[in-house]
DNA sequence: TTACAATAGTATGCGTCATACAGTATACTA
DNA sequence: TAGTATACTGTATGACGCATACTATTGTAA
């Protein structure tokens, strides 16, 4: 049982891979800054490390999925990120694919509560 | 649009991470061999490379989630893998967490077709 | 003035996945 | 009988994202 939890952490980490990207993209149809995303996603049940998020944002911007601009007029300077047109495309496609993955998974994960006897 | 597809591949690859493990574990409540898993999962819409699966199986066995035995009585020798007790535990937990991830994601992914005006 | 929260950032290491191989034995075909 | 395709397992390598553990700065409250 303890062993199970040990490996679970790693497996779960892998499971969450990529979902962070979708989560982030999903919040950026309006400009938001990193720290807000961290707290925001946390509220929604998605934990993201700052050390994960900031490089992610930069990566996505570098790839052209996001655009950014500093806002220095507020109390503290914040870097706001926003979906680019490409980003919107990618986001849409990602969602479609995500849903297909979810569907495939539900096909594969055993149908609990409905024990099938046929073995076709 | 072309750029979008370029990055999509990588993002999707990341998305699928970990789901392969669950998929594999899901099929091993009864002993099965690698090649069968590849073709089997393919049918169910989950593509797994042999070069990914075999190391995965070995890894999972090494971690104690799987047990294996060679069957040399059939035409071709096959290595059969089966969930260990620990593996069953992990699998159960993985499913639970997976479902939570799916739920969190659906919270975050925009509610398409139902444009909300309130911003709570 | 001290201490904490807000905010952004970097460096490093691990782990898994895809790709590209190698290798053997059986079945099929000519 | 030779030759090719298929079944089947395996390894080596490289890419890349994530967690961890940091650094650094600036407001704000005590």
């Amino acid at each position: 049982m303890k062993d199970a939890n040990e490996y679970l952490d790693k497996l779960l980490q892998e499971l969450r891979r990529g979902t962070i990207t979708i989560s982030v993209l999903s919040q950026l149809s309006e400009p938001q800054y990193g720290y807000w995303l961290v707290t925001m996603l946390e509220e929604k049940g998605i934990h993201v490390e700052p050390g994960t998020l900031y490089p992610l944002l930069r990566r996505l911007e570098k790839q052209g999925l996001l655009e950014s601009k500093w806002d220095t007029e507020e109390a503290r300077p914040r870097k706001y990120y926003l979906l680019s047109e490409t980003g919107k495309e990618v986001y849409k496609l990602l969602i479609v694919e995500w849903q297909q993955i979810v569907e495939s998974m539900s096909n594969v994960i055993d149908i609990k509560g409905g024990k099938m006897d046929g073995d076709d």
Side-chain angles (χ1 to χ4, degrees), chain A:
Chain A
M1 199 112 69
K2 249 171 54 182
D3 310 293
N5 282 325
E6 281 183 40
Y7 296 119
L8 248 193
D9 284 343
K10 292 180 184 175
L11 290 169
L12 289 177
Q13 181 177 330
E14 295 304 316
L15 256 191
R16 293 187 217 280
R17 283 220 183 194
T19 62
I20 297 181
T21 302
I22 291 191
S23 304
V24 167
L25 293 181
S26 75
Q27 303 302 302
L28 294 181
S29 46
E30 293 174 13
Q32 306 291 356
Y33 59 97
Y35 192 84
W36 183 87
L37 286 169
V38 172
T39 54
M40 178 56 172
L41 291 175
E42 185 70 42
E43 282 180 15
K44 300 200 174 186
I46 298 173
H47 179 72
V48 190
E49 296 292 330
T52 298
L53 181 67
Y54 290 114
L56 172 61
L57 289 172
R58 294 170 151 266
R59 203 186 314 141
L60 293 175
E61 185 183 16
K62 192 173 157 193
Q63 296 177 342
L65 308 190
L66 297 182
E67 294 165 358
S68 74
K69 62 183 173 203
W70 280 94
D71 183 346
T72 50
E73 294 185 5
E74 299 183 64
R76 290 184 203 73
R78 293 163 171 168
K79 195 172 184 180
Y80 281 82
Y81 288 89
L82 178 67
L83 278 181
S84 68
E85 286 307 312
T86 304
K88 289 179 188 172
E89 297 276 349
V90 170
Y91 177 57
K92 281 183 200 166
L93 295 171
L94 268 181
I95 289 182
V96 172
E97 296 287 341
W98 168 251
Q99 288 169 340
Q100 288 183 6
I101 291 174
V102 170
E103 197 181 331
S104 298
M105 288 298 287
S106 63
N107 282 338
V108 153
I109 292 176
D110 67 342
I111 309 95
K112 297 189 295 191
K115 180 120 187 213
M116 299 290 182
D117 220 7
D119 55 325
D120 58 311

